[in-house]
Amino acid sequence: MTPISLGLATGLALTAVAIAAAFLPDVRIRSILSGVSCAAMSAAGVFTGALAMAGGTGKLVVPIAVPLDPLTFEPDRLGGLFMLIASGVGVLVSLYGIVSVHGPSASRTAWIALAVFLMGMQYVPTAADALSFLLMWEAMALGSTVLLLAEHASRRRVSSATVWYSVMSQLSFLFILAGFAVLAAAAGGTTFAELARVSPTSTAALTAFVLFVIGFGSKAGLVPMHVWLPRAHPEAPSHVSAAMSAAMVKMGVYGILVVCVRFLPGGPAWSGIVLLTLGGISAVYGILQASVSSDLKVLLAYSTTENVGLIWLAIGASVLLGAYGLTATAATSLLAALLLTVSHAAFKVTLFLGAGSVLHATGKRNLDHLGGLARRMPWTAAAFGIGCLGAAALPISSGFVAEWVLLQSLVHGTRLNGAAVSVTVSIAMPLAVAVVALTAGLAVLTFVKSYGIGFLARPRSDAVAGARESHPLVRVVLVVAAAIVVLLGLMPGPLASVLASVVAEDGTRRAGFVDTIGMAGVSLPRLGALLDPIALVILAAVVAVPVLAVTIASAMRHPQRLGASVWGGGGERTRPRMQYTATSYAEPVVRVFDDVLKPSRDVEVTHAGESRYLVQRVKFSQNLTDVIEHRLYRPVLSAADRLGVRARSIQNGSIHLYLLYSFAAILIVLIVAVL
């Protein structure tokens, strides 16, 4: 048995141990043993994924008691990367859950569901045939659905969010199943090796591509299939939200990468345009909704749509450029997609676990009710701040490295060969650059808002004023997650070399990657646009250290004066409600994008006595809904509801009518059989 086979078998065995530990009667012991078992299972996945990325081989064959082929798990380099991502996130959320989950989220059912959920995510990238893939995909969906439903008895919105999530998950599964069915029919088999033999320009391949885009796009949270994200993430337990955003949506990314890189490489240019368009729309719409949201977890959910949109945009650019023979640029865009994937997993698990720590300490997730947490929860504030740097793509985080590579490939890519390029590429690349630039700007605004309003200034409620730092184990998890964000940002060269080996299997693509990667950083061929992390650290130090030194010296020389009067410049009497809120901070964005966001506002003025001029109170409320859900899904659901009401008239209790239905059904079956 090879090390990879042993690692796969160990992961399944530890899953069984975690499920057995969930049956223990004592809640505290159950949480400890189940959490440790889940973390150990995920650690085995980290080991196995790293071996697969390094080129190791091995497989695990699991016979099943039905007349079907056995399940086969055999991760390649690409599968190893996504197994490593899912397992690494699994380790962090399992340790976090040991001390953070309580009540229904710590029940036997919840811990069993967590083990199944993590196991499904971990083994989806290892599947070597369609049946194994679909089985693990359903295990992932079932486990996450049960976890989302855990607190339905105490919060009304949980049930509604679970319905939306469950329906979208099953629709995703059906489209993926249909895509595999079309490919399998054309290939004459269900193994990935057989599916890869289908011509990428055949009718079956193009039909399967469309089905896969819908199926994997729904799981990834692309617009317009994103509607489950802002509903499910806020209502799920925080460690589950972190796993769903940082790892589960990556399975949608993995699926479309397998389609574009393994099953149907060298597809037509229009397939790249489809991915590019879906990714661009999702990126802009997601960050726009995040920038105006006041709910911290809803903000992070929409941010996930933005990040996944950028990943799909990079994949689409790679497919499009590759279709026109721009090999080096296509390789760079694909490398950017992988960098974005790894980066998003790192900073999003940090942000969601940090948001969970805030929610546990304060009972609030509305930014308008937070503030002043930097002093009360310094460890959480520091980790969350580093996560914000990554999400805003600022130096020296992993997010900056990933988006820089993407921008460089889009800006300079069409000129690398020194020859004329297609009109399609000449139009698509500048538009893609504009999308990335717009999302980058809005991302900075969004995460400055989330950190500044949530952690700085003064507490806006009594619950926040009395907040305390999280459990030491939670702090360790947050520090490790934040350290990964910084570490990935400081080593772009080695990281890019590892990621390039994941998808560089043929000589042409490998040559493109070799030209793209330098020793210190990431550069584009023949352009010299070098990204050196050491230079970035020195530049940041040169700018930040003097400012910090002057600030500390000034604070020591002029200590805080608590007795200062308001008219003299002091802030003793300034009330927290006079500070900026998340709503007021985002108001300019709402006005600029009014036609897209369609906000509804209400201003209620209460006058003092009978006076028309003296105002006692002004109450302002603003409601922002998801336009796509309101304009697309709601009409469809309303039409289905009306159709269902009308269909009830068929069941009127008449036995004669029921016999007529049966007779008509028999006639239809006979006619179809004869034809």
Side-chain angles (χ1 to χ4, degrees):
M1 180 177 286
T2 65
I4 288 182
S5 302
L6 180 61
L8 292 170
T10 302
L12 291 178
L14 289 172
T15 303
V17 172
I19 293 174
F23 286 97
L24 294 173
D26 186 88
V27 176
R28 185 170 177 272
I29 297 177
R30 179 199 308 154
S31 296
I32 294 174
L33 292 182
S34 296
V36 170
S37 300
C38 288
M41 180 259 290
S42 299
V46 171
F47 170 77
T48 307
L51 288 178
M53 287 180 63
T57 59
K59 66 180 178 179
L60 178 67
V61 179
V62 181
I64 51 179
V66 292
L68 295 173
D69 293 335
L71 304 179
T72 305
F73 302 101
E74 187 177 9
D76 56 10
R77 290 178 183 268
L78 182 62
L81 170 63
F82 282 84
M83 186 182 191
L84 179 63
I85 292 173
S87 302
V89 171
V91 171
L92 295 175
V93 301
S94 298
L95 295 176
Y96 181 94
I98 292 175
V99 295
S100 66
V101 297
H102 305 283
S105 298
S107 65
R108 296 181 178 88
T109 303
W111 278 113
I112 292 173
L114 181 64
V116 173
F117 175 42
L118 296 179
M119 182 268 295
M121 284 196 302
Q122 187 169 309
Y123 282 83
V124 162
T126 69
D129 62 90
L131 180 60
S132 303
F133 185 96
L134 292 171
L135 183 62
M136 292 298 104
W137 190 274
E138 270 299 274
M140 176 180 69
L142 177 62
S144 56
T145 302
V146 173
L147 287 167
L148 178 57
L149 197 59
E151 299 182 7
H152 72 281
S154 57
R155 291 187 285 132
R156 290 186 307 170
R157 291 187 175 183
V158 172
S159 297
S160 174
T162 305
V163 170
W164 278 88
Y165 173 67
S166 179
V167 170
M168 296 303 294
S169 292
Q170 294 311 307
L171 286 175
S172 168
F173 175 79
L174 290 175
F175 278 103
I176 295 170
L177 175 62
F180 276 120
V182 171
L183 274 187
T190 60
T191 66
F192 285 1
E194 292 171 322
L195 298 179
R197 288 198 285 265
V198 178
S199 172
T201 57
S202 64
T203 303
L206 299 179
T207 302
F209 173 79
V210 173
L211 294 171
F212 281 134
V213 166
I214 298 174
F216 290 126
S218 178
K219 180 60 71 175
L222 285 186
V223 173
M225 295 87 74
H226 71 288
V227 289
W228 62 270
L229 270 92
R231 290 176 172 272
H233 283 327
E235 305 307 328
S238 296
H239 66 303
V240 178
S241 298
M244 292 171 73
S245 178
M248 189 186 74
V249 299
K250 301 302 183 305
M251 296 304 108
V253 173
Y254 170 73
I256 203 63
L257 277 173
V258 168
V259 172
C260 295
V261 176
R262 296 283 187 262
F263 293 168
L264 310 173
W270 67 261
S271 61
I273 295 174
V274 169
L275 298 178
L276 196 71
T277 303
L278 285 175
I281 293 173
S282 300
V284 173
Y285 186 82
I287 196 60
L288 186 58
Q289 289 286 350
S291 67
V292 299
S293 176
S294 299
D295 188 308
L296 184 56
K297 293 185 76 173
V298 172
L299 181 152
L300 295 177
Y302 276 119
S303 171
T304 297
T305 296
E306 176 242 348
N307 296 127
V308 173
L310 289 177
I311 296 171
W312 279 57
L313 183 146
I315 298 172
S318 177
V319 173
L320 178 61
L321 293 168
Y324 288 98
L326 298 169
T327 307
T329 322
T332 308
S333 296
L334 191 56
L335 175 62
L338 296 178
L339 286 168
L340 286 165
T341 300
V342 174
S343 170
H344 177 254
F347 68 70
K348 196 50 66 79
V349 72
T350 306
L351 290 172
F352 264 108
L353 294 183
S357 180
V358 171
L359 180 61
H360 182 265
T362 65
K364 298 182 181 297
R365 65 186 197 216
N366 190 331
L367 290 170
D368 290 342
H369 299 158
L370 297 176
L373 291 175
R375 286 189 175 183
R376 291 157 182 80
M377 305 177 68
W379 290 91
T380 300
F384 194 90
I386 293 174
C388 288
L389 288 178
L394 296 175
I396 49 177
S397 68
S398 57
F400 173 76
V401 174
E403 290 199 24
W404 179 265
V405 175
L406 175 59
L407 268 175
Q408 290 293 312
S409 67
L410 297 176
V411 170
H412 300 289
T414 57
R415 304 176 192 160
L416 292 182
N417 293 334
V421 296
S422 165
V423 175
T424 303
V425 175
S426 299
I427 295 175
M429 293 301 105
L431 290 177
V433 170
V435 167
V436 176
L438 178 59
T439 56
L442 289 174
V444 172
L445 181 147
T446 299
F447 288 97
V448 166
K449 177 188 76 172
S450 63
Y451 191 81
I453 303 298
F455 289 87
L456 304 180
R458 299 186 181 184
R460 294 175 176 84
S461 63
D462 294 336
V464 177
R468 292 186 176 183
E469 187 57 273
S470 303
H471 189 279
L473 181 58
V474 172
R475 288 182 237 169
V476 170
V477 171
L478 288 173
V479 169
V480 170
I484 293 173
V485 175
V486 176
L487 184 63
L488 293 176
L490 293 178
M491 47 182 294
L495 175 62
S497 298
V498 172
L499 295 182
S501 68
V502 167
V503 288
E505 294 201 345
D506 58 80
T508 303
R509 199 184 300 133
R510 183 180 297 277
F513 278 121
V514 169
D515 290 339
T516 304
I517 302 163
M519 291 301 295
V522 181
S523 62
L524 287 179
R526 293 179 292 279
L527 283 177
L530 183 65
L531 180 65
D532 189 345
I534 305 302
L536 289 175
V537 173
I538 296 174
L539 178 62
V542 168
V543 174
V545 170
V547 174
L548 185 62
V550 171
T551 303
I552 294 175
S554 178
M556 295 177 63
R557 186 175 180 181
H558 304 286
Q560 184 180 11
R561 298 177 61 186
L562 299 177
S565 59
V566 176
W567 57 264
E572 179 184 11
R573 300 176 191 174
T574 303
R575 291 177 292 177
R577 64 176 299 179
M578 299 175 67
Q579 304 172 121
Y580 262 101
T581 64
T583 303
S584 59
Y585 186 89
E587 181 64 16
V589 178
V590 176
R591 293 190 179 277
V592 170
F593 295 96
D594 185 86
D595 293 334
V596 177
L597 297 170
K598 299 294 183 184
S600 60
R601 301 183 181 91
D602 182 40
V603 179
E604 180 182 338
V605 180
T606 303
H607 293 276
E610 300 297 329
S611 174
R612 296 176 53 190
Y613 305 103
L614 297 179
V615 176
Q616 182 178 6
R617 185 181 64 178
V618 178
K619 181 180 180 181
F620 172 82
S621 61
Q622 178 174 274
N623 185 34
L624 291 165
T625 58
D626 193 308
V627 178
I628 293 178
E629 177 187 331
H630 184 70
R631 298 290 179 87
L632 177 61
Y633 286 88
R634 290 297 178 185
V636 173
L637 293 176
S638 299
D641 187 58
R642 290 193 298 269
L643 181 62
V645 171
R646 292 187 177 183
R648 293 175 188 171
S649 60
I650 297 175
Q651 297 179 333
N652 58 2
S654 172
I655 188 65
H656 302 289
L657 191 59
Y658 294 163
L659 290 173
L660 179 61
Y661 295 156
S662 300
F663 179 71
I666 293 173
L667 283 179
I668 293 173
V669 171
L670 291 175
I671 292 172
V672 172
V674 171
L675 294 177

